mmCIF file with all atom_site columns, all heavy atoms in Angstrom:
data_model
loop_
_atom_site.group_PDB
_atom_site.id
_atom_site.type_symbol
_atom_site.label_atom_id
_atom_site.label_alt_id
_atom_site.label_comp_id
_atom_site.label_asym_id
_atom_site.label_entity_id
_atom_site.label_seq_id
_atom_site.pdbx_PDB_ins_code
_atom_site.Cartn_x
_atom_site.Cartn_y
_atom_site.Cartn_z
_atom_site.occupancy
_atom_site.B_iso_or_equiv
_atom_site.pdbx_formal_charge
_atom_site.auth_seq_id
_atom_site.auth_comp_id
_atom_site.auth_asym_id
_atom_site.auth_atom_id
_atom_site.pdbx_PDB_model_num
ATOM 1   N N   . ARG Q 1 7  ? 0.848   -8.207 -59.767 1.00 0.00 ? 129 ARG Q N   1
ATOM 2   C CA  . ARG Q 1 7  ? -0.184  -7.653 -58.925 1.00 0.00 ? 129 ARG Q CA  1
ATOM 3   C C   . ARG Q 1 7  ? -0.540  -6.311 -59.539 1.00 0.00 ? 129 ARG Q C   1
ATOM 4   O O   . ARG Q 1 7  ? 0.347   -5.404 -59.602 1.00 0.00 ? 129 ARG Q O   1
ATOM 5   C CB  . ARG Q 1 7  ? 0.245   -7.536 -57.486 1.00 0.00 ? 129 ARG Q CB  1
ATOM 6   C CG  . ARG Q 1 7  ? -0.813  -6.920 -56.617 1.00 0.00 ? 129 ARG Q CG  1
ATOM 7   C CD  . ARG Q 1 7  ? -0.410  -6.944 -55.247 1.00 0.00 ? 129 ARG Q CD  1
ATOM 8   N NE  . ARG Q 1 7  ? 0.226   -5.557 -55.012 1.00 0.00 ? 129 ARG Q NE  1
ATOM 9   C CZ  . ARG Q 1 7  ? 0.502   -5.043 -53.788 1.00 0.00 ? 129 ARG Q CZ  1
ATOM 10  N NH1 . ARG Q 1 7  ? 0.164   -5.708 -52.621 1.00 0.00 ? 129 ARG Q NH1 1
ATOM 11  N NH2 . ARG Q 1 7  ? 1.154   -3.928 -53.653 1.00 0.00 ? 129 ARG Q NH2 1
ATOM 12  N N   . ILE Q 1 8  ? -1.776  -6.166 -59.923 1.00 0.00 ? 130 ILE Q N   1
ATOM 13  C CA  . ILE Q 1 8  ? -2.390  -4.910 -60.356 1.00 0.00 ? 130 ILE Q CA  1
ATOM 14  C C   . ILE Q 1 8  ? -3.378  -4.388 -59.378 1.00 0.00 ? 130 ILE Q C   1
ATOM 15  O O   . ILE Q 1 8  ? -4.310  -5.103 -59.152 1.00 0.00 ? 130 ILE Q O   1
ATOM 16  C CB  . ILE Q 1 8  ? -3.006  -5.043 -61.913 1.00 0.00 ? 130 ILE Q CB  1
ATOM 17  C CG1 . ILE Q 1 8  ? -1.932  -5.548 -62.790 1.00 0.00 ? 130 ILE Q CG1 1
ATOM 18  C CG2 . ILE Q 1 8  ? -3.629  -3.690 -62.252 1.00 0.00 ? 130 ILE Q CG2 1
ATOM 19  C CD1 . ILE Q 1 8  ? -2.498  -6.006 -64.128 1.00 0.00 ? 130 ILE Q CD1 1
ATOM 20  N N   . VAL Q 1 9  ? -3.037  -3.105 -58.950 1.00 0.00 ? 131 VAL Q N   1
ATOM 21  C CA  . VAL Q 1 9  ? -3.976  -2.621 -57.943 1.00 0.00 ? 131 VAL Q CA  1
ATOM 22  C C   . VAL Q 1 9  ? -4.708  -1.241 -58.596 1.00 0.00 ? 131 VAL Q C   1
ATOM 23  O O   . VAL Q 1 9  ? -4.073  -0.407 -59.061 1.00 0.00 ? 131 VAL Q O   1
ATOM 24  C CB  . VAL Q 1 9  ? -3.265  -2.206 -56.748 1.00 0.00 ? 131 VAL Q CB  1
ATOM 25  C CG1 . VAL Q 1 9  ? -4.209  -1.567 -55.620 1.00 0.00 ? 131 VAL Q CG1 1
ATOM 26  C CG2 . VAL Q 1 9  ? -2.602  -3.382 -56.040 1.00 0.00 ? 131 VAL Q CG2 1
ATOM 27  N N   . THR Q 1 10 ? -5.931  -1.177 -58.492 1.00 0.00 ? 132 THR Q N   1
ATOM 28  C CA  . THR Q 1 10 ? -6.748  0.001  -58.857 1.00 0.00 ? 132 THR Q CA  1
ATOM 29  C C   . THR Q 1 10 ? -6.976  0.834  -57.772 1.00 0.00 ? 132 THR Q C   1
ATOM 30  O O   . THR Q 1 10 ? -7.025  0.551  -56.568 1.00 0.00 ? 132 THR Q O   1
ATOM 31  C CB  . THR Q 1 10 ? -8.007  -0.382 -59.555 1.00 0.00 ? 132 THR Q CB  1
ATOM 32  O OG1 . THR Q 1 10 ? -8.920  -1.054 -58.628 1.00 0.00 ? 132 THR Q OG1 1
ATOM 33  C CG2 . THR Q 1 10 ? -7.708  -1.389 -60.754 1.00 0.00 ? 132 THR Q CG2 1
ATOM 34  N N   . GLY Q 1 11 ? -7.343  2.083  -58.108 1.00 0.00 ? 133 GLY Q N   1
ATOM 35  C CA  . GLY Q 1 11 ? -7.724  3.224  -57.054 1.00 0.00 ? 133 GLY Q CA  1
ATOM 36  C C   . GLY Q 1 11 ? -8.492  4.212  -57.847 1.00 0.00 ? 133 GLY Q C   1
ATOM 37  O O   . GLY Q 1 11 ? -9.138  3.961  -58.957 1.00 0.00 ? 133 GLY Q O   1
ATOM 38  N N   . HIS Q 1 12 ? -8.474  5.403  -57.174 1.00 0.00 ? 134 HIS Q N   1
ATOM 39  C CA  . HIS Q 1 12 ? -9.293  6.524  -57.772 1.00 0.00 ? 134 HIS Q CA  1
ATOM 40  C C   . HIS Q 1 12 ? -8.381  7.859  -57.719 1.00 0.00 ? 134 HIS Q C   1
ATOM 41  O O   . HIS Q 1 12 ? -7.683  7.946  -56.756 1.00 0.00 ? 134 HIS Q O   1
ATOM 42  C CB  . HIS Q 1 12 ? -10.543 6.814  -56.969 1.00 0.00 ? 134 HIS Q CB  1
ATOM 43  C CG  . HIS Q 1 12 ? -11.527 5.638  -56.998 1.00 0.00 ? 134 HIS Q CG  1
ATOM 44  N ND1 . HIS Q 1 12 ? -11.402 4.631  -55.991 1.00 0.00 ? 134 HIS Q ND1 1
ATOM 45  C CD2 . HIS Q 1 12 ? -12.513 5.275  -57.691 1.00 0.00 ? 134 HIS Q CD2 1
ATOM 46  C CE1 . HIS Q 1 12 ? -12.408 3.732  -56.278 1.00 0.00 ? 134 HIS Q CE1 1
ATOM 47  N NE2 . HIS Q 1 12 ? -13.035 4.133  -57.300 1.00 0.00 ? 134 HIS Q NE2 1
ATOM 48  N N   . ASP Q 1 13 ? -8.582  8.640  -58.777 1.00 0.00 ? 135 ASP Q N   1
ATOM 49  C CA  . ASP Q 1 13 ? -7.807  9.895  -58.788 1.00 0.00 ? 135 ASP Q CA  1
ATOM 50  C C   . ASP Q 1 13 ? -8.672  10.934 -58.111 1.00 0.00 ? 135 ASP Q C   1
ATOM 51  O O   . ASP Q 1 13 ? -9.743  10.627 -57.367 1.00 0.00 ? 135 ASP Q O   1
ATOM 52  C CB  . ASP Q 1 13 ? -7.470  10.308 -60.168 1.00 0.00 ? 135 ASP Q CB  1
ATOM 53  C CG  . ASP Q 1 13 ? -8.610  10.784 -61.066 1.00 0.00 ? 135 ASP Q CG  1
ATOM 54  O OD1 . ASP Q 1 13 ? -9.927  10.852 -60.518 1.00 0.00 ? 135 ASP Q OD1 1
ATOM 55  O OD2 . ASP Q 1 13 ? -8.458  10.883 -62.266 1.00 0.00 ? 135 ASP Q OD2 1
ATOM 56  N N   . ARG Q 1 17 ? -12.088 9.229  -60.754 1.00 0.00 ? 139 ARG Q N   1
ATOM 57  C CA  . ARG Q 1 17 ? -12.089 8.310  -61.816 1.00 0.00 ? 139 ARG Q CA  1
ATOM 58  C C   . ARG Q 1 17 ? -11.250 7.176  -61.483 1.00 0.00 ? 139 ARG Q C   1
ATOM 59  O O   . ARG Q 1 17 ? -10.204 7.304  -60.800 1.00 0.00 ? 139 ARG Q O   1
ATOM 60  C CB  . ARG Q 1 17 ? -11.465 9.190  -63.108 1.00 0.00 ? 139 ARG Q CB  1
ATOM 61  C CG  . ARG Q 1 17 ? -12.366 10.225 -63.560 1.00 0.00 ? 139 ARG Q CG  1
ATOM 62  C CD  . ARG Q 1 17 ? -11.738 10.942 -64.664 1.00 0.00 ? 139 ARG Q CD  1
ATOM 63  N NE  . ARG Q 1 17 ? -10.500 11.533 -64.129 1.00 0.00 ? 139 ARG Q NE  1
ATOM 64  C CZ  . ARG Q 1 17 ? -9.839  12.549 -64.713 1.00 0.00 ? 139 ARG Q CZ  1
ATOM 65  N NH1 . ARG Q 1 17 ? -10.354 13.156 -65.851 1.00 0.00 ? 139 ARG Q NH1 1
ATOM 66  N NH2 . ARG Q 1 17 ? -8.842  13.037 -64.104 1.00 0.00 ? 139 ARG Q NH2 1
ATOM 67  N N   . ALA Q 1 18 ? -11.451 6.034  -62.066 1.00 0.00 ? 140 ALA Q N   1
ATOM 68  C CA  . ALA Q 1 18 ? -10.724 4.791  -61.802 1.00 0.00 ? 140 ALA Q CA  1
ATOM 69  C C   . ALA Q 1 18 ? -9.283  4.896  -62.506 1.00 0.00 ? 140 ALA Q C   1
ATOM 70  O O   . ALA Q 1 18 ? -9.157  5.381  -63.591 1.00 0.00 ? 140 ALA Q O   1
ATOM 71  C CB  . ALA Q 1 18 ? -11.412 3.616  -62.448 1.00 0.00 ? 140 ALA Q CB  1
ATOM 72  N N   . ILE Q 1 19 ? -8.244  4.537  -61.676 1.00 0.00 ? 141 ILE Q N   1
ATOM 73  C CA  . ILE Q 1 19 ? -6.862  4.507  -62.192 1.00 0.00 ? 141 ILE Q CA  1
ATOM 74  C C   . ILE Q 1 19 ? -6.173  3.236  -61.829 1.00 0.00 ? 141 ILE Q C   1
ATOM 75  O O   . ILE Q 1 19 ? -6.685  2.555  -60.807 1.00 0.00 ? 141 ILE Q O   1
ATOM 76  C CB  . ILE Q 1 19 ? -6.128  5.869  -61.636 1.00 0.00 ? 141 ILE Q CB  1
ATOM 77  C CG1 . ILE Q 1 19 ? -6.150  5.582  -60.081 1.00 0.00 ? 141 ILE Q CG1 1
ATOM 78  C CG2 . ILE Q 1 19 ? -6.686  7.070  -61.942 1.00 0.00 ? 141 ILE Q CG2 1
ATOM 79  C CD1 . ILE Q 1 19 ? -5.128  6.536  -59.287 1.00 0.00 ? 141 ILE Q CD1 1
ATOM 80  N N   . PHE Q 1 20 ? -5.060  3.002  -62.419 1.00 0.00 ? 142 PHE Q N   1
ATOM 81  C CA  . PHE Q 1 20 ? -4.172  1.990  -62.007 1.00 0.00 ? 142 PHE Q CA  1
ATOM 82  C C   . PHE Q 1 20 ? -3.252  2.582  -61.008 1.00 0.00 ? 142 PHE Q C   1
ATOM 83  O O   . PHE Q 1 20 ? -2.515  3.539  -61.189 1.00 0.00 ? 142 PHE Q O   1
ATOM 84  C CB  . PHE Q 1 20 ? -3.416  1.398  -63.075 1.00 0.00 ? 142 PHE Q CB  1
ATOM 85  C CG  . PHE Q 1 20 ? -4.244  0.585  -64.143 1.00 0.00 ? 142 PHE Q CG  1
ATOM 86  C CD1 . PHE Q 1 20 ? -4.584  1.103  -65.398 1.00 0.00 ? 142 PHE Q CD1 1
ATOM 87  C CD2 . PHE Q 1 20 ? -4.676  -0.613 -63.793 1.00 0.00 ? 142 PHE Q CD2 1
ATOM 88  C CE1 . PHE Q 1 20 ? -5.388  0.449  -66.175 1.00 0.00 ? 142 PHE Q CE1 1
ATOM 89  C CE2 . PHE Q 1 20 ? -5.540  -1.409 -64.583 1.00 0.00 ? 142 PHE Q CE2 1
ATOM 90  C CZ  . PHE Q 1 20 ? -5.879  -0.918 -65.878 1.00 0.00 ? 142 PHE Q CZ  1
ATOM 91  N N   . GLN Q 1 21 ? -3.244  1.986  -59.790 1.00 0.00 ? 143 GLN Q N   1
ATOM 92  C CA  . GLN Q 1 21 ? -2.439  2.564  -58.794 1.00 0.00 ? 143 GLN Q CA  1
ATOM 93  C C   . GLN Q 1 21 ? -1.036  1.880  -58.592 1.00 0.00 ? 143 GLN Q C   1
ATOM 94  O O   . GLN Q 1 21 ? -0.103  2.477  -58.307 1.00 0.00 ? 143 GLN Q O   1
ATOM 95  C CB  . GLN Q 1 21 ? -3.212  2.274  -57.412 1.00 0.00 ? 143 GLN Q CB  1
ATOM 96  C CG  . GLN Q 1 21 ? -2.554  2.901  -56.159 1.00 0.00 ? 143 GLN Q CG  1
ATOM 97  C CD  . GLN Q 1 21 ? -3.454  2.690  -55.053 1.00 0.00 ? 143 GLN Q CD  1
ATOM 98  O OE1 . GLN Q 1 21 ? -4.709  2.680  -55.144 1.00 0.00 ? 143 GLN Q OE1 1
ATOM 99  N NE2 . GLN Q 1 21 ? -2.806  2.527  -53.780 1.00 0.00 ? 143 GLN Q NE2 1
ATOM 100 N N   . GLU Q 1 22 ? -1.095  0.547  -58.871 1.00 0.00 ? 144 GLU Q N   1
ATOM 101 C CA  . GLU Q 1 22 ? 0.228   -0.179 -58.846 1.00 0.00 ? 144 GLU Q CA  1
ATOM 102 C C   . GLU Q 1 22 ? 0.213   -1.307 -59.899 1.00 0.00 ? 144 GLU Q C   1
ATOM 103 O O   . GLU Q 1 22 ? -0.857  -1.663 -60.308 1.00 0.00 ? 144 GLU Q O   1
ATOM 104 C CB  . GLU Q 1 22 ? 0.337   -0.938 -57.551 1.00 0.00 ? 144 GLU Q CB  1
ATOM 105 C CG  . GLU Q 1 22 ? 0.619   -0.153 -56.380 1.00 0.00 ? 144 GLU Q CG  1
ATOM 106 C CD  . GLU Q 1 22 ? 0.826   -0.872 -55.074 1.00 0.00 ? 144 GLU Q CD  1
ATOM 107 O OE1 . GLU Q 1 22 ? 1.363   -1.959 -55.160 1.00 0.00 ? 144 GLU Q OE1 1
ATOM 108 O OE2 . GLU Q 1 22 ? 0.205   -0.510 -53.941 1.00 0.00 ? 144 GLU Q OE2 1
ATOM 109 N N   . ASP Q 1 23 ? 1.331   -1.640 -60.481 1.00 0.00 ? 145 ASP Q N   1
ATOM 110 C CA  . ASP Q 1 23 ? 1.392   -2.812 -61.476 1.00 0.00 ? 145 ASP Q CA  1
ATOM 111 C C   . ASP Q 1 23 ? 2.902   -3.331 -61.293 1.00 0.00 ? 145 ASP Q C   1
ATOM 112 O O   . ASP Q 1 23 ? 3.792   -2.657 -61.751 1.00 0.00 ? 145 ASP Q O   1
ATOM 113 C CB  . ASP Q 1 23 ? 1.176   -2.243 -63.002 1.00 0.00 ? 145 ASP Q CB  1
ATOM 114 C CG  . ASP Q 1 23 ? 1.127   -3.382 -63.893 1.00 0.00 ? 145 ASP Q CG  1
ATOM 115 O OD1 . ASP Q 1 23 ? 1.590   -4.415 -63.605 1.00 0.00 ? 145 ASP Q OD1 1
ATOM 116 O OD2 . ASP Q 1 23 ? 0.675   -3.070 -64.978 1.00 0.00 ? 145 ASP Q OD2 1
ATOM 117 N N   . GLY Q 1 24 ? 2.933   -4.409 -60.665 1.00 0.00 ? 146 GLY Q N   1
ATOM 118 C CA  . GLY Q 1 24 ? 4.214   -5.040 -60.542 1.00 0.00 ? 146 GLY Q CA  1
ATOM 119 C C   . GLY Q 1 24 ? 4.086   -6.339 -59.685 1.00 0.00 ? 146 GLY Q C   1
ATOM 120 O O   . GLY Q 1 24 ? 2.968   -6.916 -59.565 1.00 0.00 ? 146 GLY Q O   1
ATOM 121 N N   . TRP Q 1 45 ? -2.501  -9.462 -51.120 1.00 0.00 ? 167 TRP Q N   1
ATOM 122 C CA  . TRP Q 1 45 ? -3.114  -8.249 -50.514 1.00 0.00 ? 167 TRP Q CA  1
ATOM 123 C C   . TRP Q 1 45 ? -3.855  -8.771 -49.285 1.00 0.00 ? 167 TRP Q C   1
ATOM 124 O O   . TRP Q 1 45 ? -4.113  -9.999 -49.106 1.00 0.00 ? 167 TRP Q O   1
ATOM 125 C CB  . TRP Q 1 45 ? -4.244  -7.858 -51.489 1.00 0.00 ? 167 TRP Q CB  1
ATOM 126 C CG  . TRP Q 1 45 ? -4.856  -6.557 -51.196 1.00 0.00 ? 167 TRP Q CG  1
ATOM 127 C CD1 . TRP Q 1 45 ? -6.140  -6.367 -50.585 1.00 0.00 ? 167 TRP Q CD1 1
ATOM 128 C CD2 . TRP Q 1 45 ? -4.445  -5.232 -51.569 1.00 0.00 ? 167 TRP Q CD2 1
ATOM 129 N NE1 . TRP Q 1 45 ? -6.370  -4.923 -50.487 1.00 0.00 ? 167 TRP Q NE1 1
ATOM 130 C CE2 . TRP Q 1 45 ? -5.385  -4.290 -51.063 1.00 0.00 ? 167 TRP Q CE2 1
ATOM 131 C CE3 . TRP Q 1 45 ? -3.352  -4.694 -52.405 1.00 0.00 ? 167 TRP Q CE3 1
ATOM 132 C CZ2 . TRP Q 1 45 ? -5.234  -2.882 -51.338 1.00 0.00 ? 167 TRP Q CZ2 1
ATOM 133 C CZ3 . TRP Q 1 45 ? -3.157  -3.455 -52.457 1.00 0.00 ? 167 TRP Q CZ3 1
ATOM 134 C CH2 . TRP Q 1 45 ? -4.049  -2.487 -51.921 1.00 0.00 ? 167 TRP Q CH2 1
ATOM 135 N N   . ILE Q 1 54 ? -12.854 1.153  -48.993 1.00 0.00 ? 176 ILE Q N   1
ATOM 136 C CA  . ILE Q 1 54 ? -12.554 1.476  -50.301 1.00 0.00 ? 176 ILE Q CA  1
ATOM 137 C C   . ILE Q 1 54 ? -12.434 3.063  -50.393 1.00 0.00 ? 176 ILE Q C   1
ATOM 138 O O   . ILE Q 1 54 ? -13.357 3.900  -50.276 1.00 0.00 ? 176 ILE Q O   1
ATOM 139 C CB  . ILE Q 1 54 ? -13.703 1.021  -51.358 1.00 0.00 ? 176 ILE Q CB  1
ATOM 140 C CG1 . ILE Q 1 54 ? -13.887 -0.461 -51.159 1.00 0.00 ? 176 ILE Q CG1 1
ATOM 141 C CG2 . ILE Q 1 54 ? -13.239 1.426  -52.673 1.00 0.00 ? 176 ILE Q CG2 1
ATOM 142 C CD1 . ILE Q 1 54 ? -15.189 -0.921 -51.909 1.00 0.00 ? 176 ILE Q CD1 1
ATOM 143 N N   . ASP Q 1 55 ? -11.218 3.472  -50.470 1.00 0.00 ? 177 ASP Q N   1
ATOM 144 C CA  . ASP Q 1 55 ? -10.854 4.909  -50.616 1.00 0.00 ? 177 ASP Q CA  1
ATOM 145 C C   . ASP Q 1 55 ? -10.257 5.152  -51.916 1.00 0.00 ? 177 ASP Q C   1
ATOM 146 O O   . ASP Q 1 55 ? -10.084 4.345  -52.733 1.00 0.00 ? 177 ASP Q O   1
ATOM 147 C CB  . ASP Q 1 55 ? -10.018 5.370  -49.370 1.00 0.00 ? 177 ASP Q CB  1
ATOM 148 C CG  . ASP Q 1 55 ? -8.716  4.558  -49.174 1.00 0.00 ? 177 ASP Q CG  1
ATOM 149 O OD1 . ASP Q 1 55 ? -8.349  3.881  -50.225 1.00 0.00 ? 177 ASP Q OD1 1
ATOM 150 O OD2 . ASP Q 1 55 ? -8.075  4.739  -48.137 1.00 0.00 ? 177 ASP Q OD2 1
ATOM 151 N N   . ARG Q 1 56 ? -9.618  6.383  -51.969 1.00 0.00 ? 178 ARG Q N   1
ATOM 152 C CA  . ARG Q 1 56 ? -8.924  6.731  -53.297 1.00 0.00 ? 178 ARG Q CA  1
ATOM 153 C C   . ARG Q 1 56 ? -7.735  5.931  -53.531 1.00 0.00 ? 178 ARG Q C   1
ATOM 154 O O   . ARG Q 1 56 ? -7.568  5.439  -54.586 1.00 0.00 ? 178 ARG Q O   1
ATOM 155 C CB  . ARG Q 1 56 ? -8.638  8.277  -53.154 1.00 0.00 ? 178 ARG Q CB  1
ATOM 156 C CG  . ARG Q 1 56 ? -10.015 9.061  -53.376 1.00 0.00 ? 178 ARG Q CG  1
ATOM 157 C CD  . ARG Q 1 56 ? -9.699  10.533 -53.718 1.00 0.00 ? 178 ARG Q CD  1
ATOM 158 N NE  . ARG Q 1 56 ? -10.844 11.381 -53.550 1.00 0.00 ? 178 ARG Q NE  1
ATOM 159 C CZ  . ARG Q 1 56 ? -11.864 11.489 -54.320 1.00 0.00 ? 178 ARG Q CZ  1
ATOM 160 N NH1 . ARG Q 1 56 ? -11.644 10.825 -55.553 1.00 0.00 ? 178 ARG Q NH1 1
ATOM 161 N NH2 . ARG Q 1 56 ? -12.947 12.075 -54.215 1.00 0.00 ? 178 ARG Q NH2 1
ATOM 162 N N   . ALA Q 1 57 ? -6.729  5.912  -52.644 1.00 0.00 ? 179 ALA Q N   1
ATOM 163 C CA  . ALA Q 1 57 ? -5.410  5.281  -52.956 1.00 0.00 ? 179 ALA Q CA  1
ATOM 164 C C   . ALA Q 1 57 ? -4.622  4.895  -51.721 1.00 0.00 ? 179 ALA Q C   1
ATOM 165 O O   . ALA Q 1 57 ? -3.441  5.182  -51.807 1.00 0.00 ? 179 ALA Q O   1
ATOM 166 C CB  . ALA Q 1 57 ? -4.747  6.234  -53.885 1.00 0.00 ? 179 ALA Q CB  1
ATOM 167 N N   . SER Q 1 58 ? -5.196  4.384  -50.616 1.00 0.00 ? 180 SER Q N   1
ATOM 168 C CA  . SER Q 1 58 ? -4.394  4.192  -49.507 1.00 0.00 ? 180 SER Q CA  1
ATOM 169 C C   . SER Q 1 58 ? -3.425  2.996  -49.595 1.00 0.00 ? 180 SER Q C   1
ATOM 170 O O   . SER Q 1 58 ? -2.421  2.967  -48.985 1.00 0.00 ? 180 SER Q O   1
ATOM 171 C CB  . SER Q 1 58 ? -5.385  3.892  -48.272 1.00 0.00 ? 180 SER Q CB  1
ATOM 172 O OG  . SER Q 1 58 ? -6.114  2.676  -48.564 1.00 0.00 ? 180 SER Q OG  1
ATOM 173 N N   . GLY Q 1 59 ? -3.731  2.150  -50.456 1.00 0.00 ? 181 GLY Q N   1
ATOM 174 C CA  . GLY Q 1 59 ? -2.787  0.961  -50.647 1.00 0.00 ? 181 GLY Q CA  1
ATOM 175 C C   . GLY Q 1 59 ? -3.251  -0.225 -49.636 1.00 0.00 ? 181 GLY Q C   1
ATOM 176 O O   . GLY Q 1 59 ? -4.081  -0.116 -48.917 1.00 0.00 ? 181 GLY Q O   1
ATOM 177 N N   . GLU Q 1 60 ? -2.308  -1.287 -49.721 1.00 0.00 ? 182 GLU Q N   1
ATOM 178 C CA  . GLU Q 1 60 ? -2.497  -2.346 -48.860 1.00 0.00 ? 182 GLU Q CA  1
ATOM 179 C C   . GLU Q 1 60 ? -2.115  -2.071 -47.432 1.00 0.00 ? 182 GLU Q C   1
ATOM 180 O O   . GLU Q 1 60 ? -1.097  -1.454 -47.282 1.00 0.00 ? 182 GLU Q O   1
ATOM 181 C CB  . GLU Q 1 60 ? -1.743  -3.598 -49.389 1.00 0.00 ? 182 GLU Q CB  1
ATOM 182 C CG  . GLU Q 1 60 ? -1.761  -4.820 -48.553 1.00 0.00 ? 182 GLU Q CG  1
ATOM 183 C CD  . GLU Q 1 60 ? -0.800  -5.910 -48.942 1.00 0.00 ? 182 GLU Q CD  1
ATOM 184 O OE1 . GLU Q 1 60 ? 0.102   -5.702 -49.711 1.00 0.00 ? 182 GLU Q OE1 1
ATOM 185 O OE2 . GLU Q 1 60 ? -1.138  -6.954 -48.452 1.00 0.00 ? 182 GLU Q OE2 1
ATOM 186 N N   . PRO Q 1 61 ? -2.912  -2.472 -46.429 1.00 0.00 ? 183 PRO Q N   1
ATOM 187 C CA  . PRO Q 1 61 ? -2.544  -2.301 -45.013 1.00 0.00 ? 183 PRO Q CA  1
ATOM 188 C C   . PRO Q 1 61 ? -1.094  -2.988 -44.711 1.00 0.00 ? 183 PRO Q C   1
ATOM 189 O O   . PRO Q 1 61 ? -0.953  -4.051 -45.147 1.00 0.00 ? 183 PRO Q O   1
ATOM 190 C CB  . PRO Q 1 61 ? -3.689  -2.895 -44.160 1.00 0.00 ? 183 PRO Q CB  1
ATOM 191 C CG  . PRO Q 1 61 ? -4.801  -2.909 -45.137 1.00 0.00 ? 183 PRO Q CG  1
ATOM 192 C CD  . PRO Q 1 61 ? -4.234  -3.013 -46.480 1.00 0.00 ? 183 PRO Q CD  1
#
Side-chain angles (χ1 to χ4, degrees):
R129 181 179 89 163
I130 300 169
V131 180
T132 65
H134 299 87
D135 67 14
R139 293 177 300 203
I141 62 167
F142 290 105
Q143 185 176 327
E144 295 179 39
D145 187 344
W167 193 264
I176 302 171
D177 59 12
R178 292 191 188 277
S180 64
E182 179 184 17

